[in-house]
Amino acid sequence: MNNTPRLETLARQEPWRQGVGLPQNALDPTWIPGPGDALCDGQIDWEGSTRWWVCQKCGFIGSATVQRHKPTKSPIGFFLESVDFFVRRQRQRTSAPSADTILGQALFIAGVALRYAAVQSDIGQYAMRMVTR
Ligand SMILES: [Zn+2]
């Protein structure tokens, strides 16, 4: 029988619920100031007697005693935001590639990331390793 708390399992399967992969501060070169920086004001529900909790407003899952968190981003919203960020940054280069080349680069990088994510036992840990610190 699996005694792992349900929220711990969900956080492992859906690491975006813990803010994994997002810049933590302005020192991160991918950080962009915006409304997503404001802390969430949602109510949290604790999972029984475990140390895990979930925000009822945004779905963030935490295990710390501090419940302050930035709102969770949906995977589709995060993906589209990331594509937009990639395209903008590539266009700012002095020798900017063509739009078709930028699209090809974006698809290539997504393909590489997905291919190696497929053989990971923990995609959250994998995503954390890709974040520049
Ligand atoms: Zn929240």
Side-chain angles (χ1 to χ4, degrees):
M1 185 174 155
N2 185 352
N3 291 323
T4 304
R6 187 183 63 83
L7 289 178
E8 182 179 358
T9 301
L10 186 58
R12 194 174 167 90
Q13 293 172 343
E14 300 181 359
W16 57 88
R17 289 177 175 271
Q18 295 194 296
V20 170
L22 298 175
Q24 298 303 305
N25 56 49
L27 298 176
D28 187 308
T30 70
W31 184 74
I32 301 172
D37 295 330
L39 294 175
C40 181
D41 62 356
Q43 299 293 313
I44 62 158
D45 278 351
W46 290 91
E47 183 182 29
S49 59
T50 73
R51 63 191 176 101
W52 293 88
W53 52 264
V54 61
C55 174
Q56 293 305 303
K57 185 174 182 180
C58 74
F60 190 97
I61 293 175
S63 63
T65 52
V66 177
Q67 290 101 41
R68 295 163 41 113
H69 62 275
K70 291 180 184 175
T72 301
K73 292 188 178 200
S74 74
I76 186 70
F78 176 68
F79 176 76
L80 294 174
E81 194 177 283
S82 297
V83 169
D84 181 64
F85 181 76
F86 181 82
V87 170
R88 281 186 207 225
R89 291 300 290 260
Q90 293 301 87
R91 284 186 177 159
Q92 291 172 352
R93 295 184 182 276
T94 45
S95 56
S98 70
D100 283 351
T101 298
I102 293 173
L103 176 61
Q105 290 173 336
L107 293 171
F108 169 72
I109 292 299
V112 171
L114 287 170
R115 185 174 191 90
Y116 282 92
V119 295
Q120 304 297 314
S121 59
D122 186 328
I123 62 169
Q125 292 290 326
Y126 176 62
M128 279 192 259
R129 287 200 311 266
M130 286 193 279
V131 173
T132 306
R133 298 205 185 269

PDB file of all heavy atoms in Angstrom, residues 40-42 55-60 69-72, ligand 1:
ATOM      1  N   CYS A  40      -0.228  35.156  -3.906  1.00  0.00           N
ATOM      2  CA  CYS A  40      -1.608  34.688  -3.978  1.00  0.00           C
ATOM      3  C   CYS A  40      -2.290  34.910  -2.625  1.00  0.00           C
ATOM      4  O   CYS A  40      -1.665  34.756  -1.573  1.00  0.00           O
ATOM      5  CB  CYS A  40      -1.615  33.195  -4.321  1.00  0.00           C
ATOM      6  SG  CYS A  40      -3.261  32.488  -4.473  1.00  0.00           S
ATOM      7  N   ASP A  41      -3.570  35.267  -2.672  1.00  0.00           N
ATOM      8  CA  ASP A  41      -4.300  35.474  -1.423  1.00  0.00           C
ATOM      9  C   ASP A  41      -5.313  34.358  -1.158  1.00  0.00           C
ATOM     10  O   ASP A  41      -6.240  34.517  -0.379  1.00  0.00           O
ATOM     11  CB  ASP A  41      -4.997  36.841  -1.432  1.00  0.00           C
ATOM     12  CG  ASP A  41      -6.028  36.958  -2.547  1.00  0.00           C
ATOM     13  OD1 ASP A  41      -6.154  36.014  -3.363  1.00  0.00           O
ATOM     14  OD2 ASP A  41      -6.715  37.991  -2.616  1.00  0.00           O
ATOM     15  N   GLY A  42      -5.110  33.215  -1.824  1.00  0.00           N
ATOM     16  CA  GLY A  42      -6.036  32.090  -1.664  1.00  0.00           C
ATOM     17  C   GLY A  42      -5.941  31.429  -0.296  1.00  0.00           C
ATOM     18  O   GLY A  42      -4.924  31.512   0.381  1.00  0.00           O
ATOM     19  N   CYS A  55      -3.542  25.268  -2.193  1.00  0.00           N
ATOM     20  CA  CYS A  55      -4.251  26.547  -2.254  1.00  0.00           C
ATOM     21  C   CYS A  55      -5.558  26.331  -3.010  1.00  0.00           C
ATOM     22  O   CYS A  55      -5.557  25.788  -4.118  1.00  0.00           O
ATOM     23  CB  CYS A  55      -3.392  27.596  -2.964  1.00  0.00           C
ATOM     24  SG  CYS A  55      -4.245  29.165  -3.230  1.00  0.00           S
ATOM     25  N   GLN A  56      -6.657  26.753  -2.430  1.00  0.00           N
ATOM     26  CA  GLN A  56      -7.962  26.573  -3.058  1.00  0.00           C
ATOM     27  C   GLN A  56      -8.201  27.542  -4.205  1.00  0.00           C
ATOM     28  O   GLN A  56      -9.097  27.326  -5.013  1.00  0.00           O
ATOM     29  CB  GLN A  56      -9.072  26.737  -2.013  1.00  0.00           C
ATOM     30  CG  GLN A  56      -9.070  25.626  -0.983  1.00  0.00           C
ATOM     31  CD  GLN A  56      -9.140  24.247  -1.630  1.00  0.00           C
ATOM     32  OE1 GLN A  56     -10.065  23.954  -2.385  1.00  0.00           O
ATOM     33  NE2 GLN A  56      -8.144  23.414  -1.356  1.00  0.00           N
ATOM     34  N   LYS A  57      -7.399  28.587  -4.301  1.00  0.00           N
ATOM     35  CA  LYS A  57      -7.588  29.575  -5.376  1.00  0.00           C
ATOM     36  C   LYS A  57      -6.787  29.213  -6.632  1.00  0.00           C
ATOM     37  O   LYS A  57      -7.313  29.244  -7.730  1.00  0.00           O
ATOM     38  CB  LYS A  57      -7.169  30.959  -4.885  1.00  0.00           C
ATOM     39  CG  LYS A  57      -7.427  32.076  -5.880  1.00  0.00           C
ATOM     40  CD  LYS A  57      -7.111  33.421  -5.247  1.00  0.00           C
ATOM     41  CE  LYS A  57      -7.414  34.565  -6.214  1.00  0.00           C
ATOM     42  NZ  LYS A  57      -7.105  35.863  -5.601  1.00  0.00           N
ATOM     43  N   CYS A  58      -5.500  28.871  -6.464  1.00  0.00           N
ATOM     44  CA  CYS A  58      -4.648  28.666  -7.645  1.00  0.00           C
ATOM     45  C   CYS A  58      -4.142  27.234  -7.802  1.00  0.00           C
ATOM     46  O   CYS A  58      -3.567  26.895  -8.829  1.00  0.00           O
ATOM     47  CB  CYS A  58      -3.469  29.632  -7.624  1.00  0.00           C
ATOM     48  SG  CYS A  58      -2.182  29.227  -6.415  1.00  0.00           S
ATOM     49  N   GLY A  59      -4.318  26.393  -6.793  1.00  0.00           N
ATOM     50  CA  GLY A  59      -3.882  25.008  -6.900  1.00  0.00           C
ATOM     51  C   GLY A  59      -2.442  24.756  -6.498  1.00  0.00           C
ATOM     52  O   GLY A  59      -1.947  23.634  -6.642  1.00  0.00           O
ATOM     53  N   PHE A  60      -1.752  25.798  -5.994  1.00  0.00           N
ATOM     54  CA  PHE A  60      -0.374  25.615  -5.543  1.00  0.00           C
ATOM     55  C   PHE A  60      -0.357  24.577  -4.430  1.00  0.00           C
ATOM     56  O   PHE A  60      -1.241  24.537  -3.579  1.00  0.00           O
ATOM     57  CB  PHE A  60       0.171  26.950  -5.013  1.00  0.00           C
ATOM     58  CG  PHE A  60       1.655  26.938  -4.734  1.00  0.00           C
ATOM     59  CD1 PHE A  60       2.552  27.431  -5.664  1.00  0.00           C
ATOM     60  CD2 PHE A  60       2.153  26.444  -3.526  1.00  0.00           C
ATOM     61  CE1 PHE A  60       3.913  27.433  -5.409  1.00  0.00           C
ATOM     62  CE2 PHE A  60       3.511  26.439  -3.261  1.00  0.00           C
ATOM     63  CZ  PHE A  60       4.391  26.928  -4.212  1.00  0.00           C
ATOM     64  N   HIS A  69       2.890  32.228  -1.352  1.00  0.00           N
ATOM     65  CA  HIS A  69       3.317  31.686  -2.637  1.00  0.00           C
ATOM     66  C   HIS A  69       2.820  32.575  -3.756  1.00  0.00           C
ATOM     67  O   HIS A  69       1.844  33.303  -3.600  1.00  0.00           O
ATOM     68  CB  HIS A  69       2.789  30.256  -2.825  1.00  0.00           C
ATOM     69  CG  HIS A  69       1.298  30.185  -2.827  1.00  0.00           C
ATOM     70  ND1 HIS A  69       0.554  30.098  -1.672  1.00  0.00           N
ATOM     71  CD2 HIS A  69       0.404  30.212  -3.842  1.00  0.00           C
ATOM     72  CE1 HIS A  69      -0.732  30.065  -1.984  1.00  0.00           C
ATOM     73  NE2 HIS A  69      -0.851  30.140  -3.300  1.00  0.00           N
ATOM     74  N   LYS A  70       3.526  32.487  -4.893  1.00  0.00           N
ATOM     75  CA  LYS A  70       3.047  33.157  -6.097  1.00  0.00           C
ATOM     76  C   LYS A  70       2.021  32.234  -6.748  1.00  0.00           C
ATOM     77  O   LYS A  70       2.152  31.010  -6.649  1.00  0.00           O
ATOM     78  CB  LYS A  70       4.208  33.426  -7.054  1.00  0.00           C
ATOM     79  CG  LYS A  70       5.175  34.466  -6.531  1.00  0.00           C
ATOM     80  CD  LYS A  70       6.293  34.683  -7.513  1.00  0.00           C
ATOM     81  CE  LYS A  70       7.300  35.655  -6.920  1.00  0.00           C
ATOM     82  NZ  LYS A  70       8.481  35.812  -7.794  1.00  0.00           N
ATOM     83  N   PRO A  71       1.013  32.799  -7.425  1.00  0.00           N
ATOM     84  CA  PRO A  71      -0.013  31.946  -8.042  1.00  0.00           C
ATOM     85  C   PRO A  71       0.594  30.954  -9.037  1.00  0.00           C
ATOM     86  O   PRO A  71       1.525  31.292  -9.769  1.00  0.00           O
ATOM     87  CB  PRO A  71      -0.914  32.936  -8.765  1.00  0.00           C
ATOM     88  CG  PRO A  71      -0.635  34.263  -8.157  1.00  0.00           C
ATOM     89  CD  PRO A  71       0.775  34.216  -7.662  1.00  0.00           C
ATOM     90  N   THR A  72       0.070  29.761  -9.048  1.00  0.00           N
ATOM     91  CA  THR A  72       0.486  28.733  -9.998  1.00  0.00           C
ATOM     92  C   THR A  72       0.136  29.158 -11.413  1.00  0.00           C
ATOM     93  O   THR A  72      -0.928  29.742 -11.635  1.00  0.00           O
ATOM     94  CB  THR A  72      -0.249  27.414  -9.677  1.00  0.00           C
ATOM     95  OG1 THR A  72       0.061  27.037  -8.354  1.00  0.00           O
ATOM     96  CG2 THR A  72       0.161  26.311 -10.620  1.00  0.00           C
TER      97      THR A  72
HETATM   98 ZN    ZN B   1      -2.674  30.260  -4.445  1.00  0.00          ZN
END
